[in-house]
Amino acid sequence: MSKAFITQVIQDATGCTGVAASRAAGELISAIVEEMKKNGGFTLPSFGTFSVRKTKARKAMNPRTGEPVKVKASKTVRFKPSPNLRKAV
């Protein structure tokens, strides 16, 4: 799914212009990102839950050279689908 796809769905559903739909899609994505930064997660009922998880620093291996590489600690986003979504798919 892309921002263009979300824009097209908004435009088709509301009958607004492409510029207004693009702005709405951008604002929606920004609001979701801000909510995840603020609360560490975001839930869409009947769809699923997005959560921010911390990963620890670790050692990995470069697949081309086989050299060990240090990977820094960071954050990643996880998604857990709702039971309704699992049934639908």
Side-chain angles (χ1 to χ4, degrees), residues 4-86:
F5 176 77
I6 296 171
T7 299
Q8 188 64 43
V9 170
I10 292 171
Q11 186 176 5
D12 293 344
T14 62
C16 65
T17 64
V19 173
S22 179
R23 185 177 300 134
E27 290 297 321
L28 174 66
I29 293 168
S30 295
I32 291 171
V33 170
E34 286 302 315
E35 184 71 17
M36 291 181 72
K37 283 181 181 179
K38 184 174 150 184
N39 295 327
F42 180 76
T43 300
L44 286 171
S46 300
F47 186 71
T49 302
F50 296 89
S51 60
V52 178
R53 300 265 174 103
K54 293 180 181 179
T55 59
K56 296 180 180 180
R58 60 188 171 86
K59 292 182 182 179
M61 187 178 299
N62 183 335
R64 285 191 179 175
T65 62
E67 296 178 8
V69 178
K70 292 182 181 177
V71 178
K72 295 180 181 179
S74 65
K75 294 180 183 177
T76 187
V77 177
R78 303 286 175 116
F79 176 71
K80 181 179 177 187
S82 73
N84 293 341
L85 180 62
R86 288 183 188 199

